[in-house]
Amino acid sequence: MANRSAPRVASSPVTRAVRAGLGADTAHRAVMPPIHLSTNFFFDAPGVYAKYDYTRTANPTRDLAAETIAELEGGCGAVVTSSGMSAIAVSTRLLSAGDLLLAPRDCYGGSYRLFSVEANRGAYRVEFVDLRDPGSLELARRLRPRMIWIETPSNPHLRITDIAAWARVARDVGAVCVTDNTFLSPVNQRPLEFGADLVVHSTTKFLNGHGDVVGGAVVAADEGLLEEVAWWTNAMGASGAPFDSYLTLRGMRTLHARSRVHEENAVCIVDLLNRSDVVARVHHPSLPENPGHEIARRQQMGWGSLVSFELRGGRAAVDAFVDRIEHFALAESLGGVESLVAHPWTMTHASMDEPARLAAGIGEGLLRLSVGIEACEDLEADLKRALSRAEAVAGVAGETVVRRWRSVARRG
Ligand SMILES: *Cc1c(COP(=O)(O)O)cnc(C)c1O
């Protein structure tokens, strides 16, 4: 048995994630933990409750996934939910009618929609602000929110919010500080260490990492909060399915190894984009000119593998780029082993009206990459081909604009 259960020696989160649940099977001595799909569990006698009775409330496979996520984030526990959005819905159940939720203007679209609709029907009040504006810290002290929502880096511009500064305000006004850590994962950022009270994940992204589960999690810094989110998860029926939990647990075993390759590839690609003439701007926290660079250096352990950039030549250049690219699938989502490209204007941010998109700095020429773990030379060669196609079109489009301008000017 010596070798079977949790290691008795201290080990790093990397090792614990790789070995999560090994030896949990006492029936058959399976090395990898079994998957418990059962809806219900035997009672010994009426009214005698064992650890498990009904899977919505608790399930051994889901518990293993939750313990692993909590360990990775350095929390006291976690709940695993059916999606990132249900994790967000569960977290905001800590708010009552009249309570104020302070949220970033450029938070995830699904969060924006949920917060707005819930506020409209009186579940709580919401105020969307720019969390990077130093004035908003003062505003928060005046407004005294009950919950402060952070999402860093932001989507799609990868802007950085100072978690420690906001956690301090939250403590001063008695608010719960929540951080959506989906874009970086606990390998690159651990918000609880900077004073956040809850960490929310769409495990659909990096934690599962293989593009085959929609899931979520809420990690709590203390027992009181954990009890509350667990209560709501069960009451709302938001808990994750055992099979999804199993896949997510399997995904997390390789999270650190995957993240190293994601990071290496992303750094190469940022450099390549930066040197391209058809790229007007690259957004990535690793760039010293990025306004959040210093904060990212302080609170992140890695720069992350999401990169966005603006193509000269607008929509025509985007269409040419996307038509030529082969190793980046045109799809939403992020954080999987496979590289993806998204066009926020027509995809992730299409539900915002045009003026709102433009005000948020989302133009037709903006593209977002989720850099996968393929061979870097393949990704680079592919990007070079697609960029040169975009460049050819951007040149033509540029001339067309100039020509149109001239003819307008002549007529005028
Ligand atoms: C995808 C995502 C969500 C929502 O997660 P689902 O699993 O799709 O419900 C929430 N926040 C961020 C930052 C995301 O990227």
Side-chain angles (χ1 to χ4, degrees):
M1 297 287 270
N3 204 3
R4 280 192 37 192
S5 49
R8 286 153 302 166
V9 290
S11 51
S12 89
V14 181
T15 308
R16 289 201 296 273
V18 170
R19 300 182 61 88
L22 260 66
D25 174 31
T26 48
H28 304 293
R29 304 166 53 89
V31 172
M32 283 298 160
I35 168 170
H36 292 280
L37 294 170
S38 187
T39 309
N40 46 6
F41 300 82
F42 289 110
F43 277 68
D44 277 339
V48 180
Y49 283 82
K51 186 170 180 191
Y52 297 107
D53 50 62
Y54 188 61
T55 277
R56 170 162 39 75
T57 316
N59 172 279
T61 308
R62 192 169 63 232
D63 278 1
L64 268 184
E67 281 160 24
T68 306
I69 296 174
E71 275 213 27
L72 289 171
E73 287 287 1
C76 86
V79 295
V80 166
T81 58
S82 56
S83 67
M85 282 318 304
S86 62
I88 292 165
V90 161
S91 307
T92 48
R93 282 297 152 125
L94 305 190
L95 295 165
S96 304
D99 286 348
L100 178 66
L101 166 66
L102 198 72
R105 213 169 272 155
D106 56 356
C107 62
Y108 178 71
S111 310
Y112 191 92
R113 177 176 56 195
L114 181 72
F115 300 162
S116 310
V117 169
E118 291 280 59
N120 280 342
R121 62 180 202 92
Y124 45 77
R125 294 178 297 130
V126 68
E127 195 74 54
F128 293 104
V129 296
D130 179 358
L131 294 188
R132 286 163 297 268
D133 172 6
S136 61
L137 289 156
E138 268 325 296
L139 180 72
R141 287 182 194 279
R142 275 205 311 280
L143 295 177
R144 305 191 76 79
R146 180 77 190 92
M147 182 175 279
I148 296 175
W149 199 271
I150 299 172
E151 192 183 313
T152 180
S154 73
N155 184 27
H157 289 104
L158 307 162
R159 295 181 180 126
I160 305 297
T161 296
D162 188 333
I163 301 171
W166 279 102
R168 249 185 327 265
V169 173
R171 197 159 346 111
D172 291 349
V173 302
V176 178
C177 179
V178 188
T179 301
D180 184 332
N181 201 26
T182 300
F183 266 40
L184 284 175
S185 97
V187 172
N188 289 326
Q189 177 169 276
R190 292 170 27 116
L192 300 181
E193 288 174 2
F194 293 91
D197 302 297
L198 293 178
V199 170
V200 160
H201 272 284
S202 167
T203 56
T204 313
K205 318 294 167 55
F206 287 100
L207 290 182
N208 177 58
H210 291 73
D212 48 12
V213 172
V214 170
V218 186
V219 186
D222 66 61
E223 291 291 344
L225 283 170
L226 178 64
E227 212 171 286
E228 273 191 85
V229 291
W231 191 90
W232 278 110
T233 303
N234 180 50
M236 291 165 69
S239 19
F243 191 69
D244 290 354
S245 305
Y246 181 84
L247 286 177
T248 305
L249 180 63
R250 191 170 80 153
M252 286 188 290
R253 297 188 197 284
T254 58
L255 177 64
H256 292 85
R258 280 186 280 122
S259 297
R260 279 203 292 273
V261 185
H262 278 297
E263 187 80 13
E264 259 175 46
N265 286 355
V267 166
C268 282
I269 283 167
V270 165
D271 185 51
L272 186 154
L273 292 170
N274 240 345
R275 286 184 283 110
S276 166
D277 290 335
V278 71
V279 174
R281 256 182 100 184
V282 184
H283 303 282
H284 194 249
S286 68
L287 297 168
E289 66 270 24
N290 187 300
H293 179 74
E294 282 311 316
I295 301 169
R297 188 179 275 290
R298 228 172 27 240
Q299 71 189 16
Q300 297 179 198
M301 283 95 83
W303 301 114
S305 50
L306 283 140
V307 184
S308 63
F309 63 100
E310 288 159 37
L311 280 178
R312 296 184 208 284
R315 184 58 182 278
V318 162
D319 288 344
F321 177 93
V322 168
D323 184 55
R324 188 68 185 84
I325 200 98
E326 284 173 19
H327 293 311
F328 291 77
L330 181 65
E332 294 186 354
S333 198
L334 57 106
V337 290
E338 79 292 9
S339 292
L340 301 172
V341 57
H343 183 227
W345 181 269
T346 54
M347 295 165 65
T348 49
H349 291 69
S351 64
M352 286 166 84
D353 58 32
E354 204 170 307
R357 271 177 284 173
L358 292 172
I362 298 163
E364 280 202 86
L366 184 72
L367 286 168
R368 188 193 74 191
L369 303 179
S370 173
V371 180
I373 63 168
E374 299 90 340
C376 196
E377 59 269 27
D378 288 340
L379 298 182
E380 285 182 310
D382 194 28
L383 274 174
K384 279 183 192 159
R385 284 189 297 265
L387 287 171
S388 72
R389 177 70 67 86
E391 194 163 3
V393 172
V396 173
E399 278 168 29
T400 316
V401 170
V402 170
R403 244 183 284 126
R404 212 181 294 142
W405 242 112
R406 287 207 185 110
S407 70
V408 170
R410 262 200 302 275
R411 260 184 277 135

